[in-house]
Amino acid sequence: MSDLDLSEQAALSNAWQNWYRFSRNPTAVIGAIIVVVAVLLAVFAPYIVPYPADAGAVVDFQHRHLPPSWEHWFGTDNTGRDNFSRAIYGLRVSLALAGVVLVIAVPVGTVLGILAGYFGGWTEIVIMRLTDIALAIPPLVVALAVAAVLEPTLLNSMLALASLWWTWHARLVYSVTRQVRAQEYIEAAETLGASKLHILFREILPNVISPVAVKTSLDAGFVILIGAALSYLGLGVRPPTPDLGTMVANGANFLPDFWWESMLPATVILVLALGFNLLGDGLRDLFDVEDVR
Amino acid sequence: MSAPTLEIRNLTKTFPIRTAFGGKAGAVTAVDDVSLRVAAGAVYGLAGESGSGKSTIARMVMGLTRPDSGDILIDGQSIIGVKSHAHRGRVQMVFQNPGASLNPRRTVGQSIRVALDAHGKPAARVGDLLDMVQLPRHFADRYPHELSGGQKQRVAIARALAVEPRLLVLDEPTSALDVSVQAKVIELLEDLGRDLGLTYLFISHDLSLMRNFTAEVGVLYRGRIVETGPTARVFADPQHDYTRLLLASVPVISDEEAALRPDIPLINGELPTAEELLALRQAERKSE
Amino acid sequence: MSLLSVEDIHVSFTTYGRTTEVLKGVSLSVPAAQQVALVGESGSGKSVTMKSIMGLLPQAARITQGRILFDGDDLLTMRERDRLKLRGTAMSMVFQDPMSSLNPVWTVADQLSTILKYADRRLGRARDRRGRMARVHEVLAQVRMREPERVAASYPVQLSGGMRQRVLIAMALLSEPRLLIADEPGTALDVTTQAQILKLLKDLVTERQLALLMITHNLGVVRETCAYTYVMHKGAIVEEGRTAAIFAEPQQDYTRALIAAVPRLTGRDAA
């Protein structure tokens, strides 16, 4: 058959094409590098940081409020702890927060979105109206309320955020599912006698993965910012656990003289959030998906 | 005498036209009192343009749309109101656009296996089915975007054959393909039909292809079969004006074919539309 | 002398860092007031050839060699401004898709008169609003719209597919071009409508003495409209000649196989 050679070529070059497009997209590459480096730093924090002991409650008045130097890249805080070491440890909290919130919210939102999009009717009305209601509530406000009513712990903040965050994914997956459902291959699967479960999770799900991946990456940046905001307001991690938001709040007391104590951790938060956003944008270009904020 | 593989009796389907507020504003009759019989192993063609109702008939035969009235029988048994799963084992469909009818995120093997699993057939049949449509077995691991249009349509045929149907509905199966690829796919369908004893309901607007592929043809115009009979006879001696207009419109590549096209009277120097031609004939008949 | 002559054009595409030559030396010519077909299957390079002529190649493509002469002037070396002056005026394009080639939010008159305004500006012609409307009604009448005024005032959704295709032809006629380039006209339409469009196109080019370059995959369309044919395959012209001669006695294996693959209205036995 003469049309074979064409597909051989396609098969060979597919992985290559994706890699090529990704590597030619500076935004995506920078985003990916930031995220990977941040994750590695967080995981190996105890082996990397110059002053691992400073992650705890250490008081060293001799070295308090030192400006950035070769010994202390980010300077020291009001109890003389190394801010760089604490910032690296702080990555752990930010990434864990984003990870837990999204691990709960993304699957829940995706499943509800697919169900609503595929079945329509009452399923759609119930799920999507619930989503609309939940969408109307700002996550930060709920997190504040939960922290105020219950204990202001990291776990409570995570649960508060996760309890609302699924709605964004449900919306997205719902609209993508609606488009996919109208495709002929779904009808083909139905005429072949495939089960509903098969159609939902084998036929439709793989087609919503790309936009969900893009959104998840973008969301990770937002969750990190909200988490930092909660900590800044004193509703996040309890001292002495190192946390970037808490460091900013603490350092803000000593502005403008000891500017590094708040500004440098704040920069770390920004760069981390930026990294996730760049990665998300890059993935969006790579997958060529639309409709994702 | 055995029952025909497909029999359609007085099939009618109307679709409501809704106003902006969901109220009923009227109805269009998509399929109007259509009857036809296709014997086992035969190839029946439904010829028509857009809006003729040919796709609605296909959807009703597939059980995707419920008719308003009339009956559809497969091997003498009505399929109306029958549980769909049993029905799906007997009738399958090959869609027009092979690019759209295969899930882009699933391999060829996975797509074919859906059909096998759904009907309790062994997954190992994937290789045999690929052999049947003359594709290499290792294509099971390919994704649709790695295949050419003709190869995708072969996969779609293999998937339809996986459930071992009696009747295959072919909805413009080659209209998205290049002409040389189309010739090969048609050849494959003919071979398969002969080897497996399949019955085909072939839906197309391409009259040249219809002439070559089908034994019997029904010409659909606005939901009605206006002319039916052996394809060779209908094409050589069309009785209905719409059939004549369709034949006259086919772009052909030889003088012999051109000679076969009926003469259509021009209206103001232009080829008439079907409505104009039929109105003209009616006026002529009245004045006689 | 030919109105349009493409001389040994080579075009390369660079995708994902790799360069492939998609046109390997294509030459063809369209004499004034003659109808010529460029026929080929998907991937043959016929669209790339058409885009090279119209100057519509995507960024990844590069013309590495050859000349494209229109009326003796090389389109590839002339100033962009001069080329723009030709495009849409002396040579214009009949687009394929009657659904997506018209903007749904503007009336036919809006769209045609805007195009005319820009063409006038490029050519330094002065014409007021009323003059433009008159011309719009005139071209709509030329494509045998029975009620040009009503069609002009319509939005695309209010027109049938066949009427929209006529509007696209009218659009190409606006500036009284000498060469029409038609890309698969009527393929998106029903058979009976397609036949009307082809007849209209044929009548127009003969009445108005226009040159036509028809780009299509449909051999039947070629025979209906063009006396001379170029057959393309894998980026090169494999055969050229009078349409009747090629269809009756193809010389090359590829052309022979292509023609043999076309189903015949007379059935298999006769073919």
Side-chain angles (χ1 to χ4, degrees):
Chain A
M1 241 176 315
S2 68
D3 39 9
L4 274 182
D5 43 1
L6 174 120
S7 58
E8 297 287 352
Q9 208 179 351
L12 277 178
S13 55
N14 186 40
W16 157 255
Q17 279 180 16
N18 277 343
W19 168 245
Y20 184 91
R21 283 167 60 197
F22 189 80
S23 64
R24 281 296 163 110
N25 186 335
T27 344
V29 172
I30 293 171
I33 290 174
I34 292 174
V35 170
V36 169
V37 168
V39 170
L40 290 177
L41 287 176
V43 170
F44 297 108
Y47 312 101
I48 292 171
V49 301
Y51 305 96
D54 285 359
V58 174
V59 179
D60 180 1
F61 283 115
Q62 299 216 312
H63 294 104
R64 61 193 294 222
H65 297 315
L66 288 181
S69 66
W70 275 115
E71 283 83 57
H72 303 285
W73 290 6
F74 283 13
T76 59
D77 66 5
N78 60 327
T79 59
R81 293 176 299 190
D82 179 45
N83 271 336
F84 181 69
S85 302
R86 289 184 66 76
I88 298 298
Y89 268 96
L91 287 175
R92 291 182 148 193
V93 174
S94 293
L95 291 172
L97 177 74
V100 171
V101 168
L102 294 172
V103 159
I104 297 171
V106 173
V108 169
T110 303
V111 169
L112 289 176
I114 287 186
L115 290 174
Y118 180 71
F119 287 110
W122 279 106
T123 322
E124 174 189 328
I125 291 172
V126 171
I127 293 176
M128 293 323 289
R129 290 304 82 79
L130 204 66
T131 307
D132 288 343
I133 293 167
L135 273 173
I137 311 168
L140 184 58
V141 172
V142 172
L144 285 172
V146 169
V149 174
L150 305 173
E151 264 184 297
T153 63
L154 183 65
L155 183 70
N156 283 340
S157 311
M158 286 180 188
L159 294 179
L161 288 181
S163 73
L164 289 174
W165 214 275
W166 61 268
T167 55
W168 298 98
H169 284 266
R171 273 260 105 176
L172 169 72
V173 171
Y174 165 76
S175 71
V176 177
T177 303
R178 294 272 303 214
Q179 291 162 21
V180 174
R181 188 183 69 164
Q183 299 293 315
E184 231 169 41
Y185 55 79
I186 299 301
E187 193 160 81
E190 285 170 350
T191 61
L192 287 166
S195 67
K196 293 277 180 253
L197 217 59
H198 172 94
I199 290 172
L200 289 174
F201 294 106
R202 291 294 169 80
E203 302 284 344
I204 295 178
L205 184 63
N207 285 288
V208 304
I209 292 283
S210 305
V212 166
V214 172
K215 187 160 180 58
T216 303
S217 182
L218 295 175
D219 280 358
F222 284 101
V223 175
I224 286 168
L225 288 179
I226 290 184
L230 285 172
S231 299
Y232 181 85
L233 298 170
L235 301 171
V237 183
R238 287 293 181 78
T241 311
D243 172 80
L244 292 163
T246 320
M247 287 172 75
V248 176
N250 195 31
N253 297 326
F254 307 106
L255 277 174
D257 299 339
F258 309 123
W259 58 269
W260 57 87
E261 292 178 28
S262 54
M263 289 304 157
L264 294 180
T267 310
V268 172
I269 297 172
L270 276 179
V271 170
L272 188 57
L274 181 72
F276 278 108
N277 271 287
L278 292 179
L279 179 63
D281 277 342
L283 290 176
R284 169 162 50 196
D285 294 343
L286 183 66
F287 298 145
D288 197 22
V289 292
E290 293 158 18
D291 306 337
V292 185
R293 172 198 63 202
Chain B
M1 205 189 97
S2 67
T5 296
L6 172 67
E7 181 171 6
I8 292 177
R9 289 182 189 156
N10 309 104
L11 198 64
T12 298
K13 175 75 190 175
T14 57
F15 291 106
I17 302 172
R18 296 204 180 276
T19 62
F21 300 102
K24 223 175 142 179
V28 266
T29 306
V31 176
D32 189 2
D33 196 23
V34 164
S35 299
L36 58 88
R37 292 160 69 94
V38 190
V43 183
Y44 186 96
L46 273 178
E49 300 187 282
S50 54
S52 64
K54 57 190 198 298
S55 297
T56 310
I57 294 178
R59 293 181 60 84
M60 287 192 282
V61 171
M62 287 309 299
L64 294 168
T65 302
R66 271 184 87 92
D68 295 342
S69 65
D71 206 353
I72 299 170
L73 298 93
I74 308 265
D75 288 330
Q77 290 171 286
S78 172
I79 63 161
I80 311 294
V82 171
K83 261 200 90 151
S84 61
H85 194 76
H87 172 50
R88 304 263 145 87
R90 291 185 292 168
V91 191
Q92 273 304 315
M93 180 152 168
V94 177
F95 292 83
Q96 173 174 11
N97 186 346
S101 67
L102 296 173
N103 192 329
R105 306 274 174 195
R106 294 176 60 73
T107 64
V108 164
Q110 287 173 327
S111 278
I112 296 177
R113 224 165 291 137
V114 178
L116 293 169
D117 291 349
H119 295 271
K121 305 228 154 63
R125 292 255 303 136
V126 169
D128 298 341
L129 287 161
L130 288 174
D131 285 348
M132 254 190 231
V133 295
Q134 296 159 19
L135 287 176
R137 286 185 170 223
H138 68 261
F139 268 42
D141 300 324
R142 296 262 167 104
Y143 284 91
H145 69 90
E146 297 169 347
L147 307 183
S148 68
Q151 291 168 347
K152 278 184 236 178
Q153 200 57 299
R154 284 168 194 264
V155 172
I157 293 169
R159 181 177 60 178
L161 293 178
V163 310
E164 296 170 21
R166 299 267 295 130
L167 173 72
L168 215 51
V169 177
L170 306 170
D171 184 5
E172 308 250 14
T174 60
S175 66
L177 305 177
D178 273 331
V179 62
S180 56
V181 182
Q182 159 174 290
K184 287 183 193 156
V185 170
I186 290 292
E187 202 176 303
L188 172 72
L189 286 168
E190 284 172 335
D191 291 347
L192 289 169
R194 204 177 319 112
D195 297 348
L196 305 174
L198 291 168
T199 306
Y200 290 132
L201 180 63
F202 178 72
I203 293 169
S204 180
H205 67 276
D206 184 336
L207 293 191
S208 305
L209 194 55
M210 193 64 83
R211 172 71 179 81
N212 286 274
F213 185 58
T214 66
E216 210 175 329
V217 68
V219 180
L220 272 175
Y221 176 65
R222 300 207 157 174
R224 287 180 154 272
I225 292 188
V226 294
E227 182 160 5
T228 183
T231 312
R233 196 207 30 79
V234 170
F235 279 40
D237 184 21
Q239 298 300 307
H240 194 274
D241 278 311
Y242 180 67
T243 316
R244 297 165 58 82
L245 180 66
L246 267 187
L247 283 169
S249 301
V250 179
V252 296
I253 65 167
S254 66
D255 294 341
E256 298 83 58
E257 295 170 85
L260 194 72
R261 296 190 298 193
D263 282 327
I264 296 294
L266 298 183
I267 299 180
N268 302 329
E270 268 208 283
L271 278 173
T273 62
E275 291 77 18
E276 288 165 348
L277 181 65
L278 298 180
L280 178 76
R281 292 291 191 217
Q282 209 152 22
E284 281 173 3
R285 239 167 275 143
K286 256 181 214 155
S287 66
E288 270 166 21
Chain C
M1 195 186 68
S2 285
L3 180 61
L4 174 75
S5 98
V6 175
E7 295 176 2
D8 194 30
I9 280 286
H10 292 249
V11 174
S12 293
F13 271 74
T14 306
T15 40
Y16 309 124
R18 292 174 193 178
T19 302
T20 358
E21 191 167 59
V22 291
L23 290 192
K24 299 158 186 163
V26 170
S27 300
L28 60 87
S29 70
V30 185
Q34 298 290 309
Q35 290 81 52
V36 172
L38 181 59
V39 67
E41 296 188 283
S42 52
S44 62
K46 60 184 194 298
S47 303
V48 177
T49 307
M50 182 264 287
K51 285 177 181 160
S52 308
I53 296 168
M54 291 306 290
L56 298 173
L57 283 175
Q59 289 223 317
R62 230 163 52 83
I63 298 178
T64 53
Q65 194 183 321
R67 301 197 298 168
I68 299 175
L69 303 179
F70 184 82
D71 219 4
D73 300 323
D74 190 349
L75 296 178
L76 301 179
T77 54
M78 68 171 50
R79 285 182 309 171
E80 188 59 25
R81 247 187 46 205
D82 294 331
R83 184 164 196 181
L84 276 175
K85 215 179 258 183
L86 285 179
R87 191 198 296 169
T89 56
M91 51 195 278
S92 65
M93 175 100 198
V94 178
F95 288 96
Q96 168 185 21
D97 188 351
M99 305 305 155
S100 65
S101 304
L102 291 168
N103 189 331
V105 303
W106 299 105
T107 63
V108 168
D110 290 335
Q111 301 188 49
L112 294 192
S113 59
T114 307
I115 289 167
L116 189 58
K117 189 162 93 186
Y118 286 115
D120 283 348
R121 193 176 293 167
R122 260 181 268 157
L123 296 177
R125 266 187 320 220
R127 194 178 343 222
D128 63 357
R129 226 189 92 76
R130 191 172 305 163
R132 282 198 296 271
M133 280 311 278
R135 176 68 188 145
V136 166
H137 291 155
E138 194 181 8
V139 287
L140 288 173
Q142 277 168 15
V143 296
R144 306 208 194 114
M145 292 285 200
R146 262 156 240 174
E147 300 164 275
E149 281 82 6
R150 194 182 61 79
V151 172
S154 307
Y155 289 91
V157 285
Q158 297 171 302
L159 304 174
S160 67
M163 286 169 98
R164 271 182 270 189
Q165 183 73 67
R166 276 166 206 255
V167 170
L168 292 178
I169 295 175
M171 197 185 269
L173 292 177
L174 273 173
S175 295
E176 301 184 35
R178 286 191 288 155
L179 170 67
L180 279 186
I181 298 179
D183 179 17
E184 306 271 10
T187 33
L189 304 170
D190 274 330
V191 207
T192 51
T193 321
Q194 185 191 34
Q196 291 177 348
I197 294 294
L198 290 179
K199 181 168 186 312
L200 170 71
L201 209 52
K202 201 163 117 187
D203 292 351
L204 276 173
V205 291
T206 32
E207 278 163 24
R208 315 189 70 79
Q209 294 282 298
L210 301 178
L212 173 71
L213 177 60
M214 169 81 82
I215 288 136
T216 183
H217 69 279
N218 188 326
L219 294 172
V221 168
V222 171
R223 184 183 171 281
E224 302 292 327
T225 50
C226 297
Y228 202 87
T229 299
Y230 292 87
V231 182
M232 262 193 108
H233 181 54
K234 293 192 173 166
I237 305 275
V238 292
E239 185 160 357
E240 63 172 287
R242 284 189 32 255
T243 307
I246 287 190
F247 284 17
E249 271 177 77
Q251 299 300 310
Q252 300 298 318
D253 289 345
Y254 173 75
T255 322
R256 217 170 289 141
L258 184 68
I259 289 174
V262 178
R264 303 299 176 97
L265 196 56
T266 39
R268 223 165 305 206
D269 6 291

